[in-house]
């Protein structure tokens, strides 16, 4: 997903409409800040800015994996958060 995200941003392709983006931005401000911080080097290197809509898709992917107990289990979420903070 991240490779496709960067490619979309570099090619200036718009993301499909993300519903309730204002609610997401208010409720998940800390997650948005962590992702923006973690990807600040990518944004600077490629001269792009990761929009909140893209961060919403990342959030939904992580949240979906938690709910459905796919390879990313609930107990691994702190590891993901630590990774995001480490990358930033």
């Amino acid at each position: 997903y991240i490779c496709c995200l960067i490619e979309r941003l570099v090619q200036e392709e718009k993301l499909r409409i993300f519903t309730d983006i204002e609610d997401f931005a208010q409720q998940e401000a800390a997650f948005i800040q962590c992702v923006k911080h973690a990807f600040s080097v990518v944004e600077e290197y490629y001269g792009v800015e990761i929009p909140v809509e893209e961060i919403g898709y990342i959030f939904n992917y992580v949240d979906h994996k938690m709910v459905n107990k796919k390879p990313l289990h609930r107990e691994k979420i702190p590891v993901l958060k630590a990774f995001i903070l480490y990358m930033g």
Side-chain angles (χ1 to χ4, degrees), residues 33-47:
Q33 184 178 18
C34 285
V35 171
K36 295 290 282 177
H37 185 66
F39 285 94
S40 61
V41 173
V42 171
E43 289 181 322
E44 184 177 331
Y45 182 84
Y46 289 102

Side-chain angles (χ1 to χ4, degrees), residues 1 15-29 31-32 50-60:
Y1 174 82
L15 183 66
R16 290 172 277 149
I17 296 173
F18 186 91
T19 58
D20 299 326
I21 195 64
E22 293 84 15
D23 290 339
F24 169 75
Q26 288 179 340
Q27 294 172 3
E28 301 300 336
F31 182 84
I32 293 168
I50 299 176
V52 176
E53 290 85 358
E54 290 281 3
I55 296 171
Y57 274 99
I58 294 170
F59 181 84
N60 284 343

